[in-house]
Amino acid sequence: MSRTTTAADRLCRRTAGAGANRWVVLVVLCVSLLLVAVDATVLHVAVPAVTEDLRPGAIELLWIVDTYPLVCASLLILFGTLGDRVGRRRILLLGYGLFGVASAVAAFSPNPQMLIFARALLGVGGAMIMPATLSILRQVFPDRRERALAIGVWSAVAAVGAAVGPLLGGFLLEHFWWGSVFLVNIPLMLVSLPVGRLLLPESTGERDGPWDVVGALMAAVGLFGVVLGVKRLGGGGPVLSVLTMAPLAVGAVLLVVFARRQRRRTHPLVDLRMFARPAFSTAVGCIVLAMLALVGLELIAAQYLQLVLGLSPLQTGLRLLPLTFAAMAAGLLGARILRRFGPRWMVCAGFCLTAAAVVVLTAMGGRDDAGLLLFGFVLLGFGLETTLFGAYESMLSEAPAARAGGAA
């Protein structure tokens, strides 16, 4: 009896704390997400400095840039569903610690191999942090109207983080060495750990049945193989090369086996029935396309501004600022636009604006046209963020609360 009362009291305090401080919780979650998003692009402008200092080979340089997103993408399902089982806040705090340690290792890496290893650790930490922020947000904001505003802020921060990365990297490279782009994470993580432990509510999903460890590893390896194969194809590697086709084939087979395994299990790791809902599956597809466009175009733009127009890293980051401000504006206006037009029209309009932005940016040649670049980046930031806002809100609203980690 006393145990039941204690557990009930603890649950009530936790729920009350989450309700009373939900906007503070949102700030903590957004700061966490910002660091993960910034690290995805902060190295873009630092690649020339890393090359000059560590002298990596062509393959090593590719791995230095690609290891972080590869590992992070591969482990999202594993840590998202593990958070549902053992506690989302617990996974988030462990991610903070690992992210800080990996940042220190990356900053002082004496050779390319150590930097690749540190970037892989950063990817693990990022995979622990990112889905936890979205699933905690789903729990803290049960009301759909409030959740729409919270998702607007969250998705704006995700886009802003990716856009701020080159600016932050450029500023640090103007004054310090390339390792400073990683070192800046450490004080923020040292603050986030105690603040997160104090303010963030703990929550879990369904705990029926054992956690599918084999399925989680299968999904991680499968995703890693598919993403690696696609990146090699995109990098101009031979289509029929063993190094390209083997990861693609193994990854695809593992993902197919994973999907069949989840359908047979009484308590699946990922409830694939969510994808039977058209709104959910369409939203996930739109998020994938929008993030491909955002990160890909930012990487191309950072290289174009430096290598073609001859701008410095700091000037490159400043030129990307309009994209950041446009994304922020779209995120903050997203809740109002959503209430007026709904997620379907938001996503459609966002993709149309993104397509128009790409057409505008293709008019850039070897001559610096600041006005055209400004207009293109404003359209791009507003269009992509509008798409992401509508898709995130639709996806989270369609997912059951108990499966928030898997959905995230």
Side-chain angles (χ1 to χ4, degrees), residues 270-314:
V270 175
D271 188 359
L272 296 179
R273 289 174 299 179
M274 291 190 292
F275 286 94
R277 305 179 183 188
F280 182 88
S281 55
T282 303
V284 171
C286 291
I287 291 169
V288 171
L289 290 175
M291 291 306 297
L292 281 172
L294 175 63
V295 178
L297 288 171
E298 282 184 347
L299 177 58
I300 293 170
Q303 302 304 306
Y304 168 79
L305 292 172
Q306 290 183 89
L307 302 179
V308 177
L309 300 186
L311 301 181
S312 70
L314 181 58

Side-chain angles (χ1 to χ4, degrees), residues 133-221:
T133 61
L134 196 54
S135 53
I136 291 174
L137 185 149
R138 172 69 174 83
Q139 296 292 327
V140 172
F141 291 92
D143 180 74
R144 185 164 184 173
R145 292 189 65 176
E146 283 192 345
R147 186 167 66 244
L149 179 58
I151 291 173
V153 176
W154 184 93
S155 57
V157 168
V160 166
V164 164
L167 176 61
L168 178 62
F171 173 79
L172 292 172
L173 286 172
E174 290 280 334
H175 299 88
F176 308 101
W177 94 113
W178 61 265
S180 59
V181 302
F182 300 109
L183 212 58
V184 72
N185 294 334
I186 297 175
L188 293 174
M189 286 301 171
L190 289 175
V191 173
S192 297
L193 264 171
V195 170
R197 182 174 177 80
L198 179 66
L199 296 179
L200 294 179
E202 183 61 282
S203 64
T204 58
E206 296 175 350
R207 294 186 176 183
D208 297 334
W211 186 56
D212 186 9
V213 181
V214 174
L217 294 175
M218 200 178 289
V221 177

